Amino acid sequence: MARANGFHFLQIPGPTNVPDRILRAMAAPTMDHRGPAFQELGRHVLQVVKPIFGTKSHVVIFPSSGTGAWEAALVNTLSPGDTVVMAETGHFSSLWTEMAKRLGLDVRVLPGDWRRGAQPEAIAAALDADKERRIKAVCVVHNETSTGVTSRVGEIRKAIDATGHPALFMVDTISSLASIDYRQDEWKVDVTVAGSQKGLMLPPGISFNGISEKALAAHKASKMPRAFWDWTTQIKSNADGMFPYTPATNLLYGLKEACAMLMDEGMANVFARHQRHGAAARKAVAAWGLETVCQDAREHSGSLTAVWLPEGVNADKLRALILDKFDMSLGNGLSKLAGRAFRIGHLGAFSDLQLMGTLAGVEMGLKLFGVKLKASGIEAALESLAAAASERGAVRHAAE
Ligand SMILES: *Cc1c(COP(=O)(O)O)cnc(C)c1O
């Protein structure tokens, strides 16, 4: 078997490709996490991460995968037996739901068909019907990574406001933060859940809670048992730039660099880039004569595109073929979508030309696998990207 040359195309929707700038920033000796050099780093990252969340409030950082930040959101704000509403959007909302049940919460699931986002009307109806105000929190996954559907968080906020219900609003932004427009303060999100290995362009290993004042007040009254995840001990240490236990120091070097890169590009440009790549990928899918999993034009994701395959075409075999022939990893179909869909990740550190390489690999794979294509998706994506390029200014060379 010949050895592959050039870059491996890691086109799963997270973990994403880590840019050289960030890899170099993390290649540092381990340090005294109670010393003055760390304190300076701690103070810095705890501040520069805030604009990425669109907040001026606290953001705490845990040494964990995103799942830890899900747990932290629940155990820091709720009490045993509290009722929470979970909007079913796909695999990830189902995992968060399962976790809430295991923690002893009373979970009301708003069912979904995995092809649409959380429905603002359904959330409003659930809150309106709750005359006794038993519901303590509404939980939504902003970008459902299993389906490529982005829920309309701003509209959900408006729907919640219209009911006058005091429930907390918690949003999982693990695959949308630093990729898809998100505004914690403006949308009055009480807890934002995030992770390092997707839009933030870092390796896996740190997770985040963005915390509103209202969430902090709920925290003071909440009675769920918690120790490792406790916000109070985090916030107390963070006031001096420190952490209550050993933080993932080298990942924080990477975070500092990631925030600098995002600010340098400008968040509006970052969001536009992801949108453009989503739009071009969908042009390719449509030209091939295939369907995206997402069925609502308002909810297409800028982070990834999930492609629905015709009956009888096994998505996992197709992905295995593409990995073997072209050294590219694509995302698998998760739970209900296993074997039926595959996912093209286009988030994080990514360019027009990388997207074209990715789509070329998918198109060649589809042809080799014997899937009948209507037309060239490459052609369609090229036109879409070229049209977008003619509209915008020059970019500074990435190596500069
Ligand atoms: C990746 C992901 C998770 C899980 O995060 P881990 O880091 O694997 O624990 C949760 N929610 C969403 C939306 C994700 O994309």
Side-chain angles (χ1 to χ4, degrees):
M1 213 196 298
R3 174 141 177 71
N5 204 333
F7 292 104
H8 172 69
F9 269 61
L10 180 68
Q11 298 319 135
I12 58 174
T16 63
N17 297 285
V18 180
D20 291 348
R21 255 179 80 172
I22 291 180
L23 289 174
R24 280 195 296 270
M26 291 189 305
T30 42
M31 70 194 308
D32 173 9
H33 66 291
R34 309 237 184 256
F38 178 80
Q39 188 170 32
E40 199 178 310
L41 173 67
R43 281 206 176 107
H44 181 84
V45 293
L46 288 163
Q47 286 308 315
V48 293
V49 78
K50 292 182 181 187
I52 316 279
F53 284 71
T55 188
K56 293 192 160 51
S57 191
H58 296 285
V59 176
V60 297
I61 307 175
F62 297 107
S64 82
S65 87
T67 301
W70 267 347
E71 180 159 343
L74 300 174
V75 299
N76 274 290
T77 52
L78 300 167
S79 297
D82 273 359
T83 301
V84 299
V85 165
M86 289 269 181
E88 180 190 2
T89 48
H91 177 70
F92 289 101
S93 76
S94 301
L95 288 179
W96 200 8
T97 297
E98 215 35 57
M99 172 189 274
K101 287 181 183 163
R102 285 169 66 174
L103 289 170
L105 296 165
D106 165 35
V107 186
R108 289 192 201 161
V109 177
L110 301 178
D113 65 0
W114 292 38
R115 301 195 77 167
R116 261 163 276 270
Q119 300 295 304
E121 303 76 15
I123 291 170
L127 294 177
D128 261 334
D130 179 37
K131 299 296 177 218
E132 291 166 15
R133 300 296 192 235
R134 299 180 69 88
I135 297 169
K136 298 300 178 222
V138 173
C139 302
V140 170
V141 173
H142 184 203
N143 185 70
E144 178 52 73
T145 322
S146 60
T147 62
V149 176
T150 305
S151 286
R152 292 162 281 143
V153 174
E155 288 180 38
I156 295 169
R157 175 75 260 173
K158 283 198 191 116
I160 297 174
D161 281 349
T163 67
H165 196 292
L168 295 169
F169 186 25
M170 305 200 197
V171 180
D172 168 348
T173 65
I174 296 178
S175 65
S176 58
L177 194 86
S179 304
I180 297 167
D181 190 11
Y182 183 73
R183 314 165 189 196
Q184 177 175 306
D185 289 356
E186 190 182 321
W187 293 339
K188 292 182 281 167
V189 176
D190 295 301
V191 188
T192 300
V193 173
S196 55
Q197 76 273 28
K198 299 183 186 179
L200 284 175
M201 309 178 286
L202 295 165
I206 51 178
S207 70
F208 307 83
N209 276 169
I211 306 165
S212 77
E213 287 303 323
K214 184 172 156 186
L216 210 52
H219 171 65
K220 300 265 182 322
S222 97
K223 295 194 173 59
M224 298 276 283
R226 55 184 174 255
F228 184 82
W229 305 114
D230 191 39
W231 286 349
T232 296
T233 49
Q234 288 284 340
I235 290 170
K236 192 156 163 268
S237 291
N238 287 175
D240 295 323
M242 306 304 258
F243 288 73
Y245 38 73
T246 316
T249 47
N250 288 51
L251 281 164
L252 296 182
Y253 279 126
L255 177 62
K256 178 181 172 185
E257 195 67 16
C259 291
M261 288 174 73
L262 290 165
M263 285 301 131
D264 199 22
E265 184 175 356
M267 293 311 288
N269 295 328
V270 171
F271 300 146
R273 171 166 57 81
H274 284 82
Q275 248 185 16
R276 172 170 94 238
H277 291 160
R282 293 194 296 278
K283 291 277 186 205
V285 174
W288 289 327
L290 300 176
E291 232 181 80
T292 56
V293 172
C294 178
Q295 296 241 293
D296 188 326
R298 298 169 296 180
E299 297 177 333
H300 283 298
S301 171
S303 295
L304 75 137
T305 301
V307 184
W308 193 265
L309 284 169
E311 198 70 49
V313 181
N314 184 293
D316 292 333
K317 290 193 176 142
L318 170 69
R319 287 187 316 107
L321 174 85
I322 291 172
L323 178 61
D324 283 350
K325 300 283 186 186
F326 305 114
D327 196 25
M328 174 160 71
S329 298
L330 294 165
N332 61 336
L334 291 166
S335 43
K336 245 165 75 169
L337 302 177
R340 290 304 321 275
F342 70 94
R343 298 170 298 146
I344 305 169
H346 37 71
L347 74 163
F350 205 57
S351 70
D352 289 10
L353 300 188
Q354 283 173 287
L355 178 67
M356 288 316 304
T358 301
L359 295 175
V362 174
E363 183 160 319
M364 288 190 287
L366 287 166
K367 282 183 178 164
L368 281 174
F369 202 65
V371 180
K372 290 244 173 322
L373 302 180
K374 213 166 83 188
S376 166
I378 297 303
E379 222 40 73
L382 276 180
E383 269 170 36
S384 166
L385 290 177
S390 74
E391 304 273 295
R392 66 176 195 276
V395 290
R396 195 143 47 89
H397 194 287
E400 280 168 31

